[in-house]
Amino acid sequence: MTTIQTCRADVPGTSPPQPNGSPRWFAGVRRWVRRGGVPTLLFALPMVLGFAYFSWWPIINGVILTFQETNLITTRWVGLDNIVRILNDPLLGQAALNTGYYAALGILFGFPVPLLAAATISEMRRGQRFASIVAFLPVVIPPVVSILLWKRFYLPGPDGLINTIVGWFGVEPVGWLQEPATGMPALVLAATWAGAGSTVIIYLAAMTTIDRQLYDAAEVDGTSVWQRIWHVMLPQLRGTILILMLLQVIAVFQVFTEPFLLTNGGPENRTLTILMLVYRRFLQGDYGGAAAISVLLAIALAGLSGLYLWATRRWAK
């Protein structure tokens, strides 16, 4: 009998019997049930089903739609035709260049601003709470309201707020949203103002986890404020900075609201982004083309995220 049990344990894919005669997997199921696995599963099931239906099912449908031509009544499979047609669209190249330009400006100016603001607030001896509220205030304003507010600021005449300010220095009124050279920087400024507050709060929360003794030791050594930020604060925030950088990279490549409401892609398609191109395709009834652009963008962002995680794997440890 001992010889037979030893042989069954050596066969791949089989489980040796337990002392009571039941297989190992069955004993594992019984142990999971005894530990409350069934109520836990029933409790989580509605959330899992809801998440799958509202999050994963549209993604799967979008991938399927990439290989179909449909008018929402009749549908036929077209293989890779949608992808080939989209890749031959000259507007895709223009939108990709515009999105890359927006992403570069957004990361160059939008990434250090919240970090510097949070570092400044954390070093304030008085009024720290008031400064945090002021920094977070733009996040409370609905995005559409804040963008329409910026549209008023960017009025091209001498009555516009920005033109009034630059007029104090002798600069002639500028059509910030109407000129090809200033359209994209104007969008980046509005988006940075609207999104910086939440990032500042995350940085401030992360700064509270830094051991205060490190700051005290640095002060005893006679370091300046900027030396404490550079040698104590930033190394301790390394993990948070890397994650927020990745989230910002993904967010800037998916920009839509600002160019849609402020410039509608103009002037001369100089602020047309990839998601705006998806929107235009959708309005034209080209659902397969819109899905193909979305899938290509998702693949590009997945590759970019993987490359970013690989490049920063040593800093994240």
Side-chain angles (χ1 to χ4, degrees):
M1 187 63 182
T2 303
T3 305
I4 294 174
Q5 289 179 354
T6 303
C7 293
R8 290 187 60 184
D10 294 339
V11 177
T14 62
S15 301
Q18 298 300 303
N20 59 1
S22 59
R24 179 177 296 176
W25 66 267
F26 186 71
V29 171
R30 291 180 60 183
R31 187 165 53 250
W32 175 74
V33 171
R34 283 200 304 269
R35 292 178 178 175
V38 174
T40 303
L41 179 62
L42 292 176
F43 184 76
L45 195 58
M47 185 193 66
V48 173
L49 292 178
F51 183 81
Y53 183 76
F54 290 106
S55 296
W56 286 102
W57 181 239
I59 295 175
I60 296 172
N61 256 335
V63 174
I64 295 174
L65 199 57
T66 302
F67 305 103
Q68 292 179 335
E69 180 180 335
T70 179
N71 57 6
L72 302 181
I73 298 176
T74 59
T75 300
R76 69 184 182 93
W77 293 92
V78 295
L80 298 176
D81 287 357
N82 287 329
I83 296 177
V84 173
R85 181 164 49 82
I86 289 301
L87 291 177
N88 291 325
D89 185 355
L91 275 181
L92 179 63
Q94 178 73 51
L97 286 175
N98 293 340
T99 306
Y101 182 40
Y102 177 90
L105 290 178
I107 294 172
L108 182 64
F109 296 104
F111 180 73
V113 168
L115 183 57
L116 291 175
T120 304
I121 293 173
S122 69
E123 290 293 332
M124 292 173 64
R125 300 298 181 185
R126 303 177 64 179
Q128 193 177 90
R129 180 169 297 181
F130 176 75
S132 302
I133 294 173
V134 171
F136 190 70
L137 196 57
V139 183
V140 180
I141 301 174
V144 174
V145 175
S146 66
I147 290 172
L148 293 179
L149 198 63
W150 276 96
K151 200 167 188 175
R152 297 285 301 174
F153 293 166
Y154 284 135
L155 284 177
D159 298 333
L161 177 64
I162 306 295
N163 278 336
T164 301
I165 294 174
V166 299
W168 297 339
F169 303 95
V171 179
E172 294 294 324
V174 178
W176 299 99
L177 299 176
Q178 290 74 29
E179 298 291 336
T182 56
M184 192 63 82
L187 298 185
V188 171
L189 178 60
T192 301
W193 176 84
S198 56
T199 311
V200 169
I201 295 302
I202 293 174
Y203 279 130
L204 287 174
M207 288 172 186
T208 60
T209 64
I210 300 176
D211 190 351
R212 190 65 203 175
Q213 292 182 355
L214 296 175
Y215 289 107
D216 296 338
E219 288 183 2
V220 170
D221 291 339
T223 56
S224 64
V225 172
W226 291 110
Q227 285 175 323
R228 289 199 296 274
I229 292 174
W230 183 258
H231 295 289
V232 177
M233 182 184 294
L234 293 183
Q236 296 296 318
L237 295 177
R238 186 172 48 191
T240 305
I241 292 173
L242 291 176
I243 292 297
L244 289 179
M245 169 70 89
L246 177 61
L247 294 178
Q248 184 165 1
V249 168
I250 295 174
V252 292
F253 275 95
Q254 295 179 337
V255 61
F256 174 77
T257 308
E258 286 82 5
F260 176 68
L261 291 177
L262 286 176
T263 62
N264 197 26
E268 302 172 4
N269 289 327
R270 297 292 289 272
T271 58
L272 177 69
T273 61
I274 291 180
L275 283 195
M276 283 204 64
L277 188 59
V278 172
Y279 177 71
R280 288 185 179 182
R281 289 280 181 177
F282 182 82
L283 289 183
Q284 295 167 0
D286 185 9
Y287 307 116
I293 300 174
S294 301
V295 169
L296 291 176
L297 177 62
I299 293 172
L301 286 179
L304 190 62
S305 301
L307 181 63
Y308 174 84
L309 293 174
W310 177 81
T312 59
R313 65 189 186 283
R314 290 186 178 178
W315 299 340
K317 293 180 180 177

